[in-house]
Amino acid sequence: MSAANSDFTRPARRPDFARAFDAVRRITAEPLGALGIFLVALMIGGALFADWLSAYEPGKISPRDRFLVPSWQHLLGTDQLGRDLFSRVLHGGRIALTVALFSTAVSLLIGIVLGLIAGYGPRWLDNLLLLLFDSIKSFPTVMLALALVTLFGPSLTAVVIVVVLVNVPGYARIIRTQTLALKESEFVTAAESMGAGTVRILRVHILPNVLGPLLILTSMDIPVVIAIEAGMSFLGLGVRPPTPSWGSILNDGFTAIRDTPWIAIAGGLPIILTTLGFTFLGETMRDVFDPRLKRHA
Amino acid sequence: MTVLAVSDLNVHFTTGAGELHALRDVSFDVSENRVVGVVGESGCGKSTLINAILNLLADNGRISSGSIEFSGQELTGLSRRQMRELRGPGIATVFQDPMGALNPVLPIGRQMRNIQYRSGQAKSEKDMRSLEALKRVRLPDPEAVLARYPHEFSGGMKQRIAIAMAVMMEPDLLIADEPTTALDATLEVAMIELLKDLQRQIGCSVLFISHHLGVVAELCDDVVVMYAGEVVERGSTREVFKNPGHPYSLKLLECDPARQTARRRDLPTIPGELPDLNHRPTGCIFAPRCPHRGKECADAPPDRQLDESHIVRCIRAGAV
Amino acid sequence: MNPILEVRDLAVTFRTGSMLNRSDILAVAGVSFAVHPGETFALVGESGSGKTTLARAANGLQEISNGSVRFDGYRIDGMPARERKPLRRDMSMMFQDPVGSLSPRMRVGDLVAEPFRIHGLGAGSIREETVRLLSLVGLSAEFVHRYPHQLSGGQARRVGVARAIALSPKLIIADEPTAGLDVSVQGEVLNLLNDLRERLKLAIIIITHNLHVVRHVADQVAVMYLGRFVEIGPTGKIFSAPAHPYTASLLSANPEPDPDKPRNRISLSAEVPSLLARPSGCEFHTRCPWVGGKCGSQPPDLRQQDDRRFSCHYPLAPGAQAPVKEVSHG
């Protein structure tokens, strides 16, 4: 519940902070959770401080330095245009992170709204929305991506739309199921009996209770989103060159993988590491916070 | 002969807030062929006691001292495996939620056959015994019951099936943890009658856990009254209900609206709250809520014997 | 005095099954009663007897298929939610699960303040009102910061009472207000409700399966079986001399904490029939120990005798003992 709606939050703020701190402590107590946090922090730090961490412009072409093997000058070597791969990987991380966060946020927003409508609204609307979710879900991601690219041309927008289309049905379904269950709960009936309207019930009584599990799930979805962005850029459907993206670096390296394997490694390694990082983090969060998985009170 | 003897049992839990002393010096016996009721309100330690006996304490709990003897065999320190060996013909259980005993995806007949895996009999003989058990709990049309699934039965019928499965093993001790609490009064009394009859037929001992004083009065031979993890009073049902020696037992009986025959404006209550078991007071556990407390209650009260079997943990036992 | 709530010939039907195989379940049928200010009216019956459905219908949470519900003179069945909203201030409901009826992520303060927020009342003084209400139900001001899961059953129930009386209603419908509470706490909640009833001239409808509780708090009692009233009247009379066998058997099925009490128990054979297959004639005849000739074929009317009503062909004489009969185990 938002602070604006409550008169009773002020003195209790400290316990909230303490709880957040406690949560982080519980995650880092698990080896995989600590590793997850470390990898995610590494990726976010790299993306945030990309300009400061690398001495080279990510797009600066220097034909004399083509295909340089990794060295102290170029930590990950250079590519076929002589661009510094370390710098490109860091800046690529920015793209990956921005796409991941932005498109996940948009998917969440749409998913929550549609899920609440499906769960709390009339039966026919629920059925209609379910049909819609299922039809979208039945498209293979790559087909969806190709179709959208023919409409919009290869661009970040296409990537975001693909991600949103892929994610929304799942999120909406989770919200819908939980809303359906909560709709029958006594505290919702109690609010109804007091005369609370639909909007109040959804905002105050249902939303805060369905958000938690969804956010944990979302953190496990971020690597999927990063993979979609990388995959589309690899196929030339996503980010347009010369903007750096892990997918396009991987593609650059792929064409010359026998002679200059470090380019493919430079593109692939960050994808693997962030995927692992977010997955570890998400799984640990689920284990630590989901009361259904707790064996003893 | 004593079937179950619990003596000076202490159970601790390790929690975020420190060591929780859940049971303190709990002692009582269940004699052969007796029905012993354990009564107390929420937080009195009934469930902890059952879990301690069945070796089902949560990972953060442990028996810190004392002993639990079942037919002369020490149960504390047994492995879960050894404990499982004892279940069935030794100790059978019935819980509040019968679905705990029933597998939702198997027909009743299969499940009843499965729990007889040790008997080594033929399938048809096992089914005969299952039928016998279902007849004993007075389920209509037992043949049909065998072929049906748990969800096809009402709560009361499921509980009867769970009881049938427990008594089929002809255990020496039946532990029933609030088996009637979820049922309507009409079914509850029917279930009590049934348990009484079965106990007589099989000749087993029963440890019956309940918060319902009326049910205990009707079913049990002996009563153990628990409060905040201690046995404050034990004795025969008549002694405890007619002549309660502990102020808590007295208060608890007074509070039961069934005890008040005349209609009254205000129902009695026990003011105050349970003590914090993370910081268990050293003196009498009930003293903070006791109307008769005095200076001497600051020391741990002795277990006083009012009668041969009537034991009260109160310095003024019998005088209040 | 005019009744605060008047229910006439009320019926509730649930529709179940698929589109092809549709069947209607009659959950409540032909129920009429009135509750006056300052009065406590008890609804008793086994689970599945329709008590809760009736309460929800009386509160307007459940659509009804027949009859009428008048609250404070207004007919509220079928009234659009917007028009009904102001009336909701005068009628509140307490639900069975003391903790489960409190929104888990709201603090006690916000929970008690919720009725004011919903109706846009008490702006500026909500905080003071909340603290006042909490003290009225015996909880200190510190509780405003707690979450429901940090409360004991009794404390959560008190919060429920505070919410129910927040807007000074004229009627409280309490569904099993003592369910899940220890005996030492039950009394506190019932005394509190009784107190408030006297002080605020409240009318209370209490739904319970605990007849001992009914005897101490209720002025009128209605016994439900399969969605119908089988007996209704003043508590004292019904307890001392039940006319309907079902009432008598409910009264006898009440274990008392006295090992020497003689138990003239009227044991009911079989289980409650399904609402989908209502028995013919008197619907209780399948379980009735006194079942007679007409019972299986002719449904009895709810007939009036002095100030009570009951539906039985062969009403019991005061102090009637159950006929001894062979109990068939099968």
Side-chain angles (χ1 to χ4, degrees), chain A residues 182-266:
Chain A
L182 287 177
K183 190 161 104 173
E184 302 299 326
S185 68
E186 282 205 340
F187 65 85
V188 169
T189 319
E192 274 173 41
S193 81
M194 287 177 184
T198 309
V199 174
R200 186 183 169 86
I201 287 176
L202 288 176
R203 185 172 55 89
V204 178
H205 296 283
I206 292 185
L207 192 56
N209 292 301
V210 297
L211 227 41
L214 189 66
L215 290 180
I216 291 173
L217 189 93
T218 310
S219 78
M220 294 176 75
D221 271 355
I222 286 185
V224 178
V225 176
I226 291 176
I228 291 177
E229 185 270 322
M232 285 180 69
S233 299
F234 179 86
L235 294 171
L237 307 175
V239 179
R240 306 285 297 270
T243 315
S245 153
W246 295 344
S248 50
I249 297 172
L250 192 62
N251 189 21
D252 292 345
F254 198 65
T255 46
I257 195 155
R258 277 163 199 272
D259 307 320
T260 57
W262 61 84
I263 304 179
I265 292 172

Side-chain angles (χ1 to χ4, degrees), chain B residues 293-310:
Chain B
R293 69 172 168 274
K295 257 195 252 127
E296 63 275 29
C297 301
D299 298 322
D303 276 343
R304 286 202 147 174
Q305 198 151 5
L306 287 190
D307 220 317
E308 196 190 342
S309 65
H310 193 181

Side-chain angles (χ1 to χ4, degrees), chain A residues 3-4 9 20 31 55-56 75 86 92 95 146 149 177 179 195 205 225 233 251 257 260 263 273 279 282 287:
Chain A
T9 48
Y56 304 90
L75 284 174
F86 184 62
I95 300 284
L146 282 170
V149 169
T177 315
T179 306
H205 296 283
V225 176
S233 299
N251 189 21
I257 195 155
T260 57
I263 304 179
L273 289 183
T279 310
D287 292 351

Side-chain angles (χ1 to χ4, degrees), chain C residues 7-330:
Chain C
V7 170
R8 245 186 230 160
D9 207 25
L10 179 120
V12 176
T13 331
F14 291 117
R15 181 149 283 188
T16 63
S18 61
M19 268 202 291
L20 295 174
N21 183 21
R22 183 160 279 178
S23 54
D24 287 346
I25 295 179
L26 198 56
V28 174
V31 163
S32 305
F33 66 97
V35 184
H36 295 87
E39 189 180 65
T40 302
F41 182 87
L43 275 176
V44 299
E46 291 170 285
S47 34
S49 60
K51 309 179 294 243
T52 299
T53 308
L54 173 56
R56 293 174 56 113
N59 188 269
L61 286 171
Q62 173 67 53
E63 267 189 43
I64 66 174
S65 51
N66 189 33
S68 67
V69 180
R70 279 177 186 279
F71 176 72
D72 210 5
Y74 299 92
R75 187 161 169 180
I76 59 168
D77 54 287
M79 196 185 246
R82 194 168 307 179
E83 282 175 51
R84 193 153 41 184
K85 192 171 166 183
L87 288 173
R88 289 215 175 277
R89 286 166 46 179
D90 292 332
M91 174 177 5
S92 61
M93 191 147 175
M94 282 166 61
F95 294 83
Q96 271 186 43
D97 184 345
V99 179
S101 52
L102 304 176
S103 210
R105 279 168 205 258
M106 284 170 79
R107 291 169 200 276
V108 166
D110 291 314
L111 287 164
V112 176
E114 186 168 33
F116 297 102
R117 296 220 173 93
I118 287 174
H119 293 280
L121 298 167
S125 64
I126 286 188
R127 219 188 147 86
E128 292 75 52
E129 269 301 290
T130 306
V131 173
R132 185 186 69 83
L133 284 165
L134 286 177
S135 75
L136 205 61
V137 296
L139 293 176
S140 69
E142 289 148 42
F143 277 90
V144 296
H145 305 300
R146 297 232 195 142
Y147 284 100
H149 66 89
Q150 297 166 321
L151 304 174
S152 71
Q155 289 165 345
R157 185 48 91 198
R158 284 162 181 275
V159 173
V161 176
R163 268 154 70 91
I165 59 171
L167 302 179
S168 316
K170 297 172 181 165
L171 172 71
I172 293 183
I173 301 177
D175 192 354
E176 298 280 7
T178 59
L181 298 185
D182 285 316
V183 274
S184 65
V185 184
Q186 261 181 32
E188 288 181 23
V189 172
L190 294 172
N191 293 344
L192 179 63
L193 280 175
N194 240 342
D195 236 38
L196 294 166
R197 177 177 63 105
E198 276 176 19
R199 255 199 280 171
L200 310 173
K201 277 274 156 259
L202 274 173
I204 299 178
I205 297 180
I206 187 167
I207 299 165
T208 181
H209 65 271
N210 188 338
L211 285 162
H212 293 305
V213 164
V214 171
R215 190 170 53 187
H216 290 286
V217 300
D219 303 301
Q220 299 276 322
V221 57
V223 181
M224 285 189 87
Y225 188 72
L226 294 183
R228 295 184 208 275
F229 281 176
V230 294
E231 184 158 11
I232 172 172
T235 309
K237 273 192 193 166
I238 289 192
F239 270 73
S240 58
H244 197 285
Y246 181 60
T247 315
S249 53
L250 275 188
L251 284 171
S252 84
N254 233 356
E256 288 178 33
D258 182 348
D260 292 333
K261 181 112 183 162
R263 304 182 204 287
N264 301 319
R265 188 144 292 153
I266 303 163
S267 61
L268 295 182
S269 47
E271 298 225 348
V272 185
S274 157
L275 287 173
L276 283 167
R278 288 173 174 275
S280 59
C282 171
E283 290 173 342
F284 185 58
H285 88 265
T286 51
R287 302 171 77 195
C288 183
W290 285 272
V291 63
K294 277 196 283 186
C295 299
S297 52
Q298 250 176 285
D301 291 327
L302 200 61
R303 64 168 124 146
Q304 186 95 29
Q305 193 176 81
D306 305 328
D307 47 0
R308 62 168 147 177
R309 286 176 288 155
F310 52 84
S311 60
C312 181
H313 291 305
Y314 309 105
L316 301 179
Q321 300 283 316
V324 183
K325 62 166 184 177
E326 278 302 304
V327 181
S328 61
H329 293 179

Side-chain angles (χ1 to χ4, degrees), chain B residues 162-225:
Chain B
I163 292 174
M165 289 168 82
V167 299
M168 184 167 63
M169 308 310 290
E170 310 222 318
D172 297 325
L173 175 67
L174 175 68
I175 296 183
D177 189 359
E178 305 259 7
T180 62
T181 302
L183 304 176
D184 274 309
T186 46
L187 289 177
E188 186 169 42
V189 294
M191 207 64 83
I192 297 169
E193 307 273 329
L194 175 69
L195 279 172
K196 254 198 235 172
D197 282 358
L198 289 173
Q199 188 266 338
R200 257 180 242 131
Q201 286 172 29
I202 303 173
C204 64
S205 306
V206 180
L207 186 63
F208 184 86
I209 287 80
S210 179
H211 68 281
H212 195 320
L213 296 169
V215 170
V216 170
E218 193 156 318
L219 179 67
C220 301
D221 305 310
D222 300 312
V223 186
V224 174
V225 183

